[in-house]
Amino acid sequence: MSLISDFVATDAQRAEKGLKEGALGLISSTVVGVASTAPAYSLAATLGFVVVLIGVKAPIVTLLAFIPMLLISFAYNELNKADPDCGTLFTWGTRAFGPKTGWMGGWAIVAADVLVMASLAQIAGQYIFLLFNAKGIGGEAASGWVLLVGIMWLVAMTVICYVGIEISANFQKALLGIEIVMLVILSVVALVKVADGSAPIGHLHPTWAWFNPLGGSFKNLVDGLALMLFIYWGWDTAVSVNEETDNKAVTPGRAAVISTVVLLAVYELVVLSSQSYAGLGTKGIGLGNPAHQGDVLSVLGGSIFGSSGFGSFLTHLLLLMVLSSAAASTQTTILPTARTTLSMAVYKSIPSTFAKIHRRFLTPTVSTVVMGVVSAIFYVIMNYVSGGSVIVDSVTALGVMIAFYYGLTGLSCFWYYR
């Protein structure tokens, strides 16, 4: 059967993939969507670079970056109604433009997910050591111990994804709960200290000028927007698990839209409070300090909460939060990639072995394991080629890839419904 004729598949034919239907509801799907973006990790790895480019304009760039994300989430919602297939862009691109476009879109998703796994593993490896006050190890970006723990982390998250979508979703709820609560506490305490004057020297008071996109370099504004695409990226996992979701033609799309709105609220609060408390200085805790541009939250946490008593507890809880954020995102990066390759295999675009489903767990077996193994290999290569700058290189490379496959999804929606 040809690829084109396969795409007129009925719901009964799609069910032959063997995934566990109805395992997730709207709340679980939304949690998966928000957790996939790893809010804490994304902010820790990106905020410093954004501030260097655009200065105090970070709050308005956060808002501007949300607009295309919201529109693309609408595209996911509408395309999912037409074809709730776990291949997402692979199947939708084929429906709209033909198999070559769909094939290219599917591989773009896989490439982006493999790229980000390196930085996720690196963050996880570093923060495990920082959590136990081993800053001498966790602070060394190219540490062999960090690399080893990062690989172990990838193995553990692959196993969780292998044993079932429901276990993964429940694990996400716990991790995301800690993450959101801690980000809100961090932001509120920071703003209170700014208001009462106890914030460190160099802090800033919020003004409406921060929300004015005019008056700066247009190139830097565009570069900042490209970086902000990274912190919003990932909510589409909620649609990638559509065939395992209750009311699969409606619930996944709604979860995607809700996820982007939740992310906007969280990001605006954290960006505004962090910029106000730390300022833009290039020394100390300033967000412009190159010494911690790849990880601003651990530095801010120690300053905002303090290093003794209950403050020390909150600081370590913040480190745990970033670690849990990386854990959640690692899981929810494996999930969509495994399901994209599963769909590609079902429709004979890649070898059929990738379509194998576990009889008990009802999850993709070969697709999940291969994603974990390839990610680990790529992480090792990146660790040595990048000379310790895994996070920076991964984030930089991802921007174009994300823009490509989100943009292609938007075009596919427009053309399909023309």
Side-chain angles (χ1 to χ4, degrees), residues 47-120:
L47 184 55
F49 300 111
V50 172
V51 166
V52 168
L53 285 172
I54 58 177
V56 295
K57 303 290 185 179
I60 184 59
V61 170
T62 303
L63 178 59
L64 291 175
F66 162 75
I67 296 173
M69 284 297 172
L70 179 65
L71 296 176
I72 294 301
S73 71
F74 288 152
Y76 268 83
N77 185 31
E78 296 304 320
L79 286 169
N80 185 70
K81 290 177 182 177
D83 187 2
D85 190 285
C86 65
T88 60
L89 180 56
F90 165 68
T91 57
W92 302 336
T94 299
R95 277 186 176 273
F97 299 114
K100 290 182 179 179
T101 302
W103 186 86
M104 186 167 54
W107 280 113
I109 294 174
V110 173
D113 288 346
V114 171
L115 269 173
V116 78
M117 290 291 274
S119 58
L120 289 170

Side-chain angles (χ1 to χ4, degrees), residues 47-48 50-59 201-204 210 271-272 274-290 292-293:
L47 184 55
V50 172
V51 166
V52 168
L53 285 172
I54 58 177
V56 295
K57 303 290 185 179
I201 297 174
H203 71 271
L204 305 171
W210 293 4
V271 169
L272 188 68
S274 299
Q275 183 169 292
S276 300
Y277 181 86
L280 308 183
T282 56
K283 296 181 180 179
I285 66 166
L287 297 181
N289 188 341
H292 53 75
Q293 281 179 355

Side-chain angles (χ1 to χ4, degrees), residues 290-315:
H292 53 75
Q293 281 179 355
D295 176 20
V296 298
L297 287 187
S298 64
V299 177
L300 286 177
S303 175
I304 293 172
F305 294 135
S307 57
S308 61
F310 187 62
S312 176
F313 169 76
L314 289 177
T315 300

Side-chain angles (χ1 to χ4, degrees), residues 158-348:
T158 301
V159 170
I160 291 176
C161 292
Y162 187 92
V163 298
I165 185 69
E166 289 172 308
I167 293 176
S168 297
N170 290 330
F171 191 48
Q172 296 294 331
K173 290 177 184 177
L175 295 180
L176 185 64
I178 297 173
E179 188 174 351
I180 298 298
V181 169
M182 281 306 303
L183 283 174
V184 171
I185 292 175
L186 177 78
S187 301
V188 171
V189 174
L191 289 174
V192 168
K193 289 192 172 185
V194 170
D196 66 17
S198 60
I201 297 174
H203 71 271
L204 305 171
H205 289 277
T207 69
W208 287 111
W210 293 4
F211 293 90
N212 180 9
L214 305 177
S217 167
F218 179 74
K219 178 183 179 301
N220 288 346
L221 181 68
V222 173
D223 289 342
L225 282 170
L227 283 174
M228 280 297 180
L229 287 177
F230 172 74
I231 75 168
Y232 278 105
W233 171 59
W235 49 263
D236 50 297
T237 300
V239 186
S240 297
V241 294
N242 50 14
E243 295 191 44
E244 296 149 281
T245 304
D246 184 36
N247 195 0
K248 62 183 180 181
V250 177
T251 300
R254 287 180 179 174
V257 174
I258 294 171
S259 296
T260 60
V261 176
V262 171
L263 288 168
L264 172 65
V266 173
Y267 287 154
E268 279 292 1
L269 178 62
V270 176
V271 169
L272 188 68
S273 61
S274 299
Q275 183 169 292
S276 300
Y277 181 86
L280 308 183
T282 56
K283 296 181 180 179
I285 66 166
L287 297 181
N289 188 341
H292 53 75
Q293 281 179 355
D295 176 20
V296 298
L297 287 187
S298 64
V299 177
L300 286 177
S303 175
I304 293 172
F305 294 135
S307 57
S308 61
F310 187 62
S312 176
F313 169 76
L314 289 177
T315 300
H316 281 78
L317 195 57
L318 180 68
L319 295 175
L320 178 62
M321 174 204 68
V322 178
L323 180 60
S324 72
S325 180
S329 191
T330 304
Q331 270 189 269
T332 50
T333 300
I334 295 172
L335 289 175
T337 311
R339 280 142 186 83
T340 297
T341 52
L342 165 66
S343 183
M344 293 173 76
V346 167
Y347 295 125
K348 302 177 177 61

